[in-house]
Amino acid sequence: MAWTQVLAANALATGAREVVKVGDRQILLLNHENQFYAVDNTCPHLKMSLKKGKIENGAIVCPFHRSAFDLGNGEVKTWCPFPPVVGKLLSMVSPEKTLPVFPLRVEEGNILIDVPSA
């Protein structure tokens, strides 16, 4: 693993979010209930930012299409739950995909993540 230091842990208070760039990727760091998470900041559905997404039942919810992804493993909990016709059309634009999540650790007060090369 190639760990990259991205932020001081005390700079990410409970409930805080920060987007950091590692290589060509935008990574969303979250502190949810004193647990740190690192996920791709881009929703795999229509490629929009997740930074303002709500956290519900251990998942981040895309603020634009309501697709929900498990914070721990990126699995899809809900994919585009719009009314049937709209949801079906949007699903045809982009089929269901998991959200990339990244290994994270805190070492000497710093958040480090492992982001593989694209």
Side-chain angles (χ1 to χ4, degrees):
M1 290 192 168
W3 295 98
T4 302
Q5 181 178 320
V6 291
L7 193 68
N10 64 3
L12 199 64
T14 299
R17 298 158 188 227
E18 188 73 36
V19 176
V20 297
K21 189 168 182 170
V22 178
D24 62 347
R25 297 190 97 141
Q26 298 283 325
I27 309 298
L28 177 60
L29 299 176
L30 304 112
N31 181 341
H32 179 64
E33 298 178 351
N34 289 316
Q35 177 70 43
F36 294 115
Y37 298 93
V39 301
D40 197 305
N41 185 46
T42 305
C43 176
H45 186 229
L46 291 178
K47 310 299 182 203
M48 310 216 33
S49 173
L50 290 171
K51 186 173 182 181
K52 294 187 179 185
K54 292 182 181 180
I55 306 296
E56 298 176 356
N57 301 318
I60 187 161
V61 180
C62 178
F64 303 100
H65 343 96
R66 304 275 309 142
S67 294
F69 306 92
D70 186 279
L71 283 172
N73 60 23
E75 290 181 5
V76 176
K77 287 192 164 188
T78 309
W79 188 258
C80 197
F82 287 102
V85 173
V86 175
K88 194 170 195 172
L89 288 173
L90 286 174
S91 291
M92 288 175 12
V93 169
S94 177
E96 190 172 308
K97 298 176 192 164
T98 60
L99 177 68
V101 297
F102 305 98
L104 178 148
R105 71 181 194 211
V106 177
E107 186 175 285
E108 297 180 7
N110 295 301
I111 297 172
L112 295 94
I113 56 177
D114 178 37
V115 179
S117 301

